[in-house]
Amino acid sequence: MGSDCPQRKEFRLLPSLLSADFFNLSEQVHSLEAAGCDLVHLDIMDGHFVPNLTFGPPVVKSLAESSGIDFDVHLMVDRPDDWIEAFDFPNTRCITIHAEAGNHVHRTLQSIRDRGMMAGLSLNPGTPLDCLEYLWPTLDLILIMTVNPGFGGQSFIPACAEKIEAVSRLITERSERGMIIEIDGGVNRDNLGGLASKGAQWIVAGNSVFTQPHLGQAFKELQEIGKKNWKAQ
Ligand code: DX5
Ligand code: ZN
């Protein structure tokens, strides 16, 4: 599934557009693209699964039509089944749903894959790893939340770092080569290298990119730290 996509084999720093300046969204995305960014993280919130609302398919459609950048869609919504088709754009590489969202997670993951996208499962800080047990064959990516989902700019929860090591061990034991570990929440230039060295291949960064005056430069610096430290499974 998506095995030919370079983002699957290399480290990626994914700016989260949740922290972007929405009035200047197109300009900001173009600055990131010019700095070599080829994958952005899109946080879709419904006000039910998480206590916040963000943007929906029309905004993502505009982005798809005006840039060549790829999308990593993070669905923080109840009933994710209802939204897979709506976020299936040519740019969408991966759609991730939460383990607690929806009644039929296995079917939803399969439907994402059937559309040719990578399927991800997101684990909240309190979600144990046993929910992965029967889902491995339908998974391309495991997103470990390092804050409680819903808002940008929160502080990293240190206990979640242990989960990266635990998931990494499971991947090795099961020989699930190619499985991507993604980290989301509270990442900054001080903790990024350590997270990448524990096996995090895709690392999301919202505030630590968009609060900087030069987005392209901020992206490049963080991407470089991750690349230097990432250890492939
Ligand atoms: C939080 C979102 C994150 C958020 C990360 O629910 O899933 O993607 O944008 O933002 P920072 O990097 O600012 O914690
Ligand atoms: Zn996210």
Side-chain angles (χ1 to χ4, degrees), residues 66-175:
S66 60
S67 84
I69 211 150
D70 287 339
F71 305 147
D72 170 41
V73 176
H74 179 191
L75 290 183
M76 284 162 277
V77 301
D78 284 339
R79 295 185 284 105
D81 277 310
D82 296 354
W83 297 102
I84 305 306
E85 185 179 359
F87 288 101
D88 179 2
F89 293 99
N91 313 43
T92 309
R93 286 283 151 272
C94 182
I95 295 186
T96 295
I97 60 168
H98 273 255
E100 293 86 357
N103 295 324
H104 302 287
V105 172
H106 184 282
R107 182 165 61 204
T108 312
L109 292 168
Q110 195 55 57
S111 76
I112 296 170
R113 279 186 152 194
D114 289 346
R115 290 177 167 274
M117 299 175 283
M118 288 191 267
L121 187 74
S122 179
L123 309 175
N124 279 333
T127 308
L129 300 187
D130 52 6
C131 65
L132 293 169
E133 185 159 357
Y134 298 102
L135 294 175
W136 288 100
T138 55
L139 279 180
D140 299 288
L141 175 146
I142 298 166
L143 192 169
I144 300 172
M145 290 302 302
T146 43
V147 296
N148 283 294
F151 302 94
Q154 301 182 79
S155 300
F156 183 87
I157 300 172
C160 298
E162 289 167 29
K163 216 185 243 182
I164 307 171
E165 287 163 325
V167 170
S168 194
R169 272 197 302 278
L170 282 177
I171 290 174
T172 308
E173 277 164 29
R174 297 184 52 98
S175 301

Side-chain angles (χ1 to χ4, degrees), residues 16 41-43 74 76 143 145 184 204:
S16 163
H41 183 82
L42 305 180
D43 289 302
H74 179 191
M76 284 162 277
L143 192 169
M145 290 302 302
D184 185 8
V204 177

Side-chain angles (χ1 to χ4, degrees), residues 11-62:
F11 175 84
R12 283 292 185 279
L13 190 282
L14 290 77
S16 163
L17 299 193
L18 181 62
S19 299
D21 169 2
F22 286 95
F23 190 68
N24 292 308
L25 191 55
S26 129
E27 193 186 296
Q28 294 205 321
V29 169
H30 288 141
S31 315
L32 290 168
E33 275 189 286
C37 176
D38 63 2
L39 186 62
V40 287
H41 183 82
L42 305 180
D43 289 302
I44 311 300
M45 305 186 188
D46 67 351
H48 292 275
F49 184 72
V50 288
N52 197 5
L53 281 171
T54 53
F55 45 85
V59 172
V60 182
K61 182 168 181 273
S62 301

